[in-house]
């Protein structure tokens, strides 16, 4: 089987790239052939999860959006509340099953796209400048593909060296309450009325889909995930004590771990082999947001392919944003700044549109300075001064 492009992994990054490389209006016209390789049913398929992002106006995947909001709220540990409108932006939530179904239907009607179920063992650059992808199908039979380019979204076997390595780990309940308790117009982005851990921070996250339905998550920034029982105890405490929901029914759950690190994720491994998505550094280190950066990365790769250029994925976030993230992560990890107080202050003192541009890595230098001035300046300057002298270490 030969193809122009092989995409390894059929998650958000792989599906998004395939969707852009094979536009619907190009059906039947000359173009690049794409083979999307995803694992067969089993433990290698990721569990269902939810992605959130903000954008203005109609979006490419609006048909898969579960809900969207124009108001965000942050609550401090002692009850302070900051509530902000973000129009013309909307904060959107997509569930992975809906996204995969939508993109899968689109790709099914595009003749230049082929889907293969296989467990990939190796992606290798060949001496002739092509790529060989080897694996096995669900029955254990060999699968071999040769392509001009390969885009690999699988996580690396070993994380790159880093100065700071935290995890954003969480568990969420999709709940239905007996009485109306949620405000469907407002997302609680960070609710710090949770018991704070000795290292890092914790918060509640509420995405209401109705007066009695919502996704409620307990999240920590810290060194290690909790047990499932510990998450459930934290969620039970948050829903009943903090939110005062009363009796509720848990409809389904989701759980995940997102790396928060200043490691440099290489976007090229060898020759015509590139990494995309989380494996290519698309996760914003200071927030964990990934979906919007995946879309920017996918569009840049597709534009390069259409123009006949080498389709190297661009950096998902500018160098200036990555440096500021490194300072923030180090300051949080050392305890030099109070995390809940810092985030509450930013949402209280920085205009919402500017702060969201900053969090998305699209702010201008003067806006970065304005945001930085709203943080605890001396601890952040001390952290920035020591950062160049800290060694990058591999994960234990």
């Amino acid at each position: 089987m030969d193809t122009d492009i092989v995409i390894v992994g059929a998650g958000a990054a792989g599906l998004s790239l395939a969707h852009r490389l094979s536009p619907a209006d190009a059906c039947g016209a000359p173009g690049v052939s794409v083979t999307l390789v995803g694992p067969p049913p089993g433990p290698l398929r990721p569990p269902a999860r939810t992605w959130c992002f903000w954008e203005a106006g109609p979006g490419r995947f609006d048909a898969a959006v579960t809900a969207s909001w124009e108001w965000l709220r942050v609550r401090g540990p002692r009850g302070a509340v900051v509530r902000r409108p973000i129009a013309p932006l909307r904060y959107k939530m997509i569930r992975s099953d809906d996204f995969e179904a939508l993109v899968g239907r689109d790709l099914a009607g595009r003749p230049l796209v082929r889907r293969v179920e296989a467990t990939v063992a190796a992606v290798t650059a060949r001496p002739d400048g092509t790529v060989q992808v080897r694996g096995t199908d669900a029955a254990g039979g060999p699968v071999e593909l040769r392509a001009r380019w390969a885009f690999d979204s699988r996580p690396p076997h070993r994380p790159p060296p880093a100065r700071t390595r935290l995890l954003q780990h969480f568990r969420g309940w999709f709940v239905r309450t007996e009485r109306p308790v949620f405000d469907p117009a407002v997302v609680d982005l960070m609710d710090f009325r949770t018991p704070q851990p000795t290292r890092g921070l914790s918060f509640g996250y509420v995405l209401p889909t109705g007066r009695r339905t919502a996704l409620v998550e307990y999240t920590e920034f810290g060194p290690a995930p909790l047990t499932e029982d510990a998450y459930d105890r934290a969620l039970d405490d948050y829903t009943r004590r903090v939110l005062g929901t009363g009796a509720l029914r848990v409809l389904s759950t989701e759980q995940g771990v997102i790396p928060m690190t200043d490691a440099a994720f290489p976007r090229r491994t060898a020759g015509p082999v590139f990494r995309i998505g989380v494996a290519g550094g698309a996760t914003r280190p200071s927030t964990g947001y990934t979906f919007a950066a995946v879309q920017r990365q996918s569009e840049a790769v597709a534009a390069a392919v259409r123009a006949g250029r080498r389709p190297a994925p661009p950096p998902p976030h500018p160098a200036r944003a990555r440096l500021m993230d490194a300072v923030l992560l180090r300051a949080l990890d050392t305890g030099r700044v109070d995390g809940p107080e810092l985030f509450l202050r930013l949402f209280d003192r920085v205009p919402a549109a500017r702060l969201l541009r900053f969090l998305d890595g699209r702010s201008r230098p003067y806006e970065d300075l304005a945001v930085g001035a709203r943080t605890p300046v001396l601890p952040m300057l001390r952290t920035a001064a020591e950062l160049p002298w800290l060694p990058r270490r591999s994960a234990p």
Side-chain angles (χ1 to χ4, degrees):
M1 296 169 62
D2 291 325
T3 184
D4 291 316
I5 292 174
V6 170
I7 301 171
V8 180
L15 286 168
S16 298
L17 181 55
H19 201 253
R20 280 178 163 78
L21 286 171
S22 56
D25 56 9
C27 288
V32 296
S33 58
V34 177
T35 300
L36 178 63
V37 185
L44 291 181
R45 284 199 177 178
R49 57 259 188 237
T50 299
W51 300 309
C52 290
F53 58 100
W54 49 84
E55 66 180 346
R60 186 182 188 92
F61 303 114
D62 275 359
V65 169
T66 301
S68 66
W69 304 267
E70 287 186 349
W71 288 83
L72 300 180
R73 182 166 53 204
V74 176
R75 296 181 183 269
R78 290 170 290 280
V81 178
V82 177
R83 189 173 183 266
R84 291 284 182 263
I86 62 171
L89 299 173
R90 291 192 73 87
Y91 192 74
K92 299 181 178 183
M93 175 175 74
I94 289 183
R95 300 185 72 171
S96 60
D97 288 348
D98 296 332
F99 176 79
E100 290 164 10
L102 172 67
V103 177
R105 287 193 299 269
D106 284 353
L107 296 182
R110 301 182 185 182
L112 293 176
V113 178
R114 175 171 44 197
R115 300 193 68 167
V116 174
E117 287 190 349
T119 301
V120 172
V123 180
T124 308
R126 294 165 53 92
D128 63 0
T130 62
V131 184
Q132 183 182 52
V133 177
R134 292 183 293 105
T136 54
D137 61 21
V143 172
E144 184 174 319
L145 299 156
R146 189 162 65 176
R148 182 181 178 191
W149 307 103
F151 296 89
D152 193 349
S153 65
R154 298 172 303 161
H157 294 299
R158 189 175 181 84
R163 291 167 295 203
T164 306
R165 200 184 306 277
L166 294 174
L167 299 174
Q168 180 180 155
H169 54 93
F170 59 90
R171 181 170 170 84
W173 288 350
F174 287 88
V175 302
R176 178 181 294 277
T177 60
E178 291 186 354
R179 58 187 179 83
V181 295
F182 301 114
D183 181 351
V186 185
V187 166
D188 279 300
L189 198 65
M190 289 179 154
D191 184 347
F192 293 109
R193 295 176 297 170
T194 52
Q196 295 301 309
T198 55
R199 180 180 172 191
L201 57 88
S202 73
F203 57 89
Y205 179 44
V206 182
L207 298 164
T209 55
R211 295 286 294 166
R212 296 193 300 155
T213 55
L215 168 59
V216 182
E217 290 188 351
Y218 174 79
T219 301
E220 284 192 12
F221 294 178
L226 307 180
T227 64
E228 191 172 302
D229 286 345
Y231 284 123
D232 283 342
R233 286 195 298 271
L235 278 165
D236 185 72
D237 176 74
Y238 179 64
T239 54
R240 298 180 190 277
R241 178 183 62 82
V242 178
L243 298 182
T245 60
L248 59 81
R249 183 158 55 98
V250 178
L251 306 177
S252 60
T253 64
E254 70 171 29
Q255 189 167 322
V257 177
I258 301 171
M260 302 182 71
T261 171
D262 64 355
F265 287 82
R267 299 181 307 282
R268 184 178 183 180
T269 57
V273 182
F274 303 100
R275 290 196 177 275
I276 56 173
V278 175
T283 298
R284 184 73 194 266
S286 60
T287 64
Y289 284 106
T290 305
F291 191 83
V294 162
Q295 304 313 314
R296 294 195 297 270
Q297 195 178 61
S298 299
E299 179 53 39
V301 169
V305 170
R306 290 192 295 267
R309 303 192 307 269
R310 185 173 68 95
H317 309 286
R320 188 175 70 253
R322 297 197 301 274
L323 175 59
M324 296 181 76
D325 284 349
V327 173
L328 175 59
L329 290 178
R330 175 72 179 174
L332 288 174
D333 195 32
T334 58
R336 287 184 190 137
V337 299
D338 181 310
E341 181 62 32
L342 169 65
F343 285 108
L344 183 68
R345 181 190 296 189
L346 288 177
F347 276 90
D348 185 38
R349 301 184 182 181
V350 179
R354 173 177 293 174
L355 184 58
L356 292 181
R357 281 196 301 274
F358 174 78
L359 295 177
D360 214 16
R362 295 185 170 191
S363 50
R364 298 174 181 271
Y366 76 88
E367 292 179 308
D368 293 342
L369 291 174
V371 172
R374 301 299 186 269
T375 66
V377 175
L378 291 179
M380 299 297 266
L381 286 177
R382 176 188 171 189
T383 304
E386 77 173 9
L387 209 60
W389 310 103
L390 297 175
R392 293 183 180 270
R393 302 184 186 279
S394 297

